[in-house]
Amino acid sequence: MATDLSWRPKAGDIPQQPGVYRFRDATSRVLYVGKARNLRQRLSNYFAPLATLHDRTRKMVQTAASVEWTVVANDFEALQLEYTWIKEFDPPFNVQYKDDKSYPYLAITLGDAVPRVFVTRNKGIPKARYFGPYSRAWAIRDTVDVLLKAFPMRSCSDATYKRAAQTGRPCLLGDIGKCAAPCVGRVTPEQHKSIAVDFASFMGGNDTGFVASITKKMRDAAAVQDYEAAARYRDQVQAMETALEKNVVVLDDGVDADLFGIAHDELAAAVQQFIVRGGRIRGVRGWVVDKELDLELPELVESVLQNAYDDEVPPRDVFVPALPDDTPELEKWLGERRGPGHRVELRVAKRGDKAALAQTVATNAVNALILYKSKRSADFVARSQALSDIQEALGMPEAPLRMECFDVSHLSGTNIVASMVVFEDGLPRKDQYRRFSIPESADDTESIYQVLTRRLAYLTPAAQEEADDPALDGRRRKFAYPPQLLIVDGGQPQVAAAQRALEEMGVSGIQLCGIAKRLEEIWLPDSDFPVILPRNSDALFLIQRIRDEAHRFAISYQRQKRRRDIQSVLGEIPGLGPSRVKELLKHFGSVARLKAADEAAVAEVRGIGPALASTIVERLRG
C-alpha cells in the first residue's frame, strides 16, 4: 500500500545526516514539521505500508503531497530549526496549544527614569522586568498593595504622575506612605529607582535577605532610641512578612525551579507549571494541548518545554515527568534562552520535597484534564456538532439521539461482568445504566454476544408490543427504548459478535459500531476498513467518552462483585462476623491485598487472633 504514495522519495535520495523535515499538501501548506538524527531512518517510518501506520500518521501522509528536508550540522541545530519552523508555519499535525486565558504578570519598568510597578497581561514592554505568571490577578494586586508599605515606589499611571507633577500635589498613595512621591520631589529619581530595584530583587527571590536586613536596621534604630525610624522599619518588616505568607514555602530558600505535570490521553493533554523562586511558589500556569499525532510522554515533554519558554526565561532547574531522548540538546537550547554562559538542567524528581511537589503538580494536571473534558461535554453546540458528525461518518439516516455502549470486564477469565451505559443528546442517563453478570463465557466475543442477546430481547417485535402494556413498571419500559446507535468496546471480532446477536434476535433499524482502543478507530459490520474520525473532533471525543464510561461502570461492578464474593467466603468462617469482615477489608483496603497477606499481617487486624488469622489465610488461598 506504500506505493499508493506517488510522491514518496527514493530511500537513496534521503540523506542519513541529522536534519528537519516538512510534509506539505497539494497547496504547499506545511502539515507537519519534525526533526531527526538520521533523516532516512526517520522518514522511512512514514513510508511503511499504510495498513501498519497509526491512523493519525496514515491520515497525515495521505493528506500530504510532498516532503522536503534540510540537513543541519548536529542535533542541536535540528532542535532550533524545528522550533523556528513550528512557530512560523503552525502545522496542523503538530501539537496544538490552547491557553484558555492570558495570565497576569507583575511588571516593574526598570528601564524608565521613574519606574512603575503594575499588573499587566502585556509582555511587550521594553526593559521591564516581569514576575509570574499568576493564576489570579486579584491575588498579586493584594501582594503589591502590601509590599508598597515596604517598597514605596510609583504604581500610578503616567497621566496621574504628570498631573501630580504639574500641580505639586501627590496622589493619595503618596499621602498614606505607599509611594515615595518622586512626582513632587520628595525623593530623587535615583533614590526612587533604588527602591524599585529593591522591590524587583525581593520579588526575584531575595526576600529573606531583605527581611533580615530591615530587621537589623530596626534593632539598631531602637538601640539608639530612634523610635520613629524603628517603627517605620517594623512596618516594612511586617509588610514583607505578610507578603511572604501569601506564597507557600515548598523548597529550600535557594531553590529556583519550574515543575511540570502532564496528564494526557489519546486526544489531549493538560499541562501544569509551578514556578518556584526562592523556595516559594511564585506562579502557576496551565494550558491544554490537542494531540493530532500520537506522541509518547517524552516527546510531549519536549514540545511543552518549547512552548513554555517561547517568551520566558527558564530557571536553572526544570523538573519534568519524563526526560526526552535529546535531553542534552534541549538543555543547551534552554541555556541559550537563559543567557550566555548559563546552564539549564532537566531532571525528574524522584525523592524528597521536590518529588512531593512534582506529585502535586501532576495531580493538578489530571484534574485540569478532567475539567477540560467536562467543559467540552457540557457545550451544547459541541454536542450537537458531534452527533451530526457521527451521523455523517457512519452513514446514518438521522443523528443518534440515544446511544448505548457495552463493555465486558473480567479478572483472568473469572468474575465476568458487563455494563451498558446510555447517552441521550450527548449526555449520560445514569438512571438507565445496566449491569450484567455472565456466569460462563469462552472469550470477550462470546460475552458480547450473550449480553447483547439479553439486551435485545427487550427490543424484539413481541417485546415491543408487551412494553405498551401500562401495567409494566417504569424501569422495564425504559429498557424497551431502542437506541439509534449501539456501540461495543472492541474491533472487528466484537462487532461481528454483536451483529450476530442483532440478526438472531430479529432486531433491525439500529446502527452498530465498535471502537478499538489501540488506534481509536471505528469499525462497522462487514467492513474491511475502519472509519477514521479526526483526532480533535467532538465526534470522536463523544464516542470515547461513552466507551470510557462503559469501561468505568463495568470495572466498578466487577470490584463490587468481588468484594461481595469474598465477604460471603469470609462470612462462612466460624468466629468471623460482619463487623470483623468489615474491619478486615477496611484494614487492607482491597480484596487483592487481603488475599496476598500472610498470617502475621492478618493477625494485626483488631479482633483477629493467630488461630483465626491462620483459618482466614487457609480459606482464601484454598
Side-chain angles (χ1 to χ4, degrees), residues 296-511:
E296 297 298 331
L297 184 57
E299 298 175 282
L300 198 54
V301 166
E302 179 181 321
S303 179
V304 164
L305 293 180
Q306 289 180 341
N307 176 71
Y309 298 115
D310 178 27
D311 55 358
E312 298 285 344
V313 177
R316 183 173 55 253
D317 294 314
V318 176
F319 291 89
V320 293
L323 292 176
D325 293 336
D326 53 354
T327 295
E329 291 76 20
L330 193 56
E331 287 179 334
K332 184 178 179 181
W333 180 81
L334 291 171
E336 291 190 352
R337 309 289 291 181
R338 183 173 169 82
H342 287 80
R343 295 182 65 254
V344 173
E345 184 177 359
L346 292 182
R347 302 162 61 188
V348 176
K350 296 182 179 179
R351 62 181 67 88
D353 294 337
K354 296 183 179 69
L357 184 58
Q359 181 59 47
T360 301
V361 183
T363 302
N364 278 268
V366 171
N367 293 334
L369 183 61
I370 293 173
L371 181 61
Y372 168 71
K373 290 194 167 186
S374 299
K375 287 182 177 179
R376 190 171 178 180
S377 301
D379 188 339
F380 174 76
V381 176
R383 293 202 315 271
S384 301
Q385 184 63 48
L387 294 174
S388 298
D389 290 345
I390 292 173
Q391 174 190 354
E392 180 180 354
L394 303 186
M396 301 176 62
E398 58 183 11
L401 299 183
R402 179 183 172 95
M403 296 181 286
E404 295 178 3
C405 183
F406 294 81
D407 184 35
V408 174
S409 178
H410 61 85
L411 183 64
S412 300
T414 64
N415 282 334
I416 307 173
V417 298
S419 65
M420 166 186 140
V421 300
V422 180
F423 273 51
E424 289 186 354
D425 294 331
L427 294 175
R429 287 291 305 271
K430 294 191 176 183
D431 61 317
Q432 298 187 29
Y433 285 14
R434 296 291 183 269
R435 300 180 297 191
F436 303 86
S437 181
I438 304 174
E440 185 177 351
S441 176
D443 53 27
D444 280 354
T445 57
E446 175 63 22
S447 300
I448 286 288
Y449 171 77
Q450 289 189 36
V451 172
L452 264 296
T453 300
R454 290 160 62 178
R455 166 67 183 115
L456 296 173
Y458 291 86
L459 302 180
T460 61
Q464 291 293 299
E465 292 180 7
E466 184 182 352
D468 294 333
D469 187 351
L472 286 180
D473 61 7
R475 178 180 174 86
R476 185 168 181 183
R477 188 174 291 117
K478 289 178 182 177
F479 206 40
Y481 293 158
Q484 283 85 41
L485 177 61
L486 195 153
I487 305 170
V488 296
D489 182 15
Q492 284 178 303
Q494 287 77 14
V495 173
Q499 178 68 13
R500 180 161 57 95
L502 280 167
E503 293 173 351
E504 291 182 3
M505 298 302 294
V507 177
S508 60
I510 298 177
Q511 177 67 55

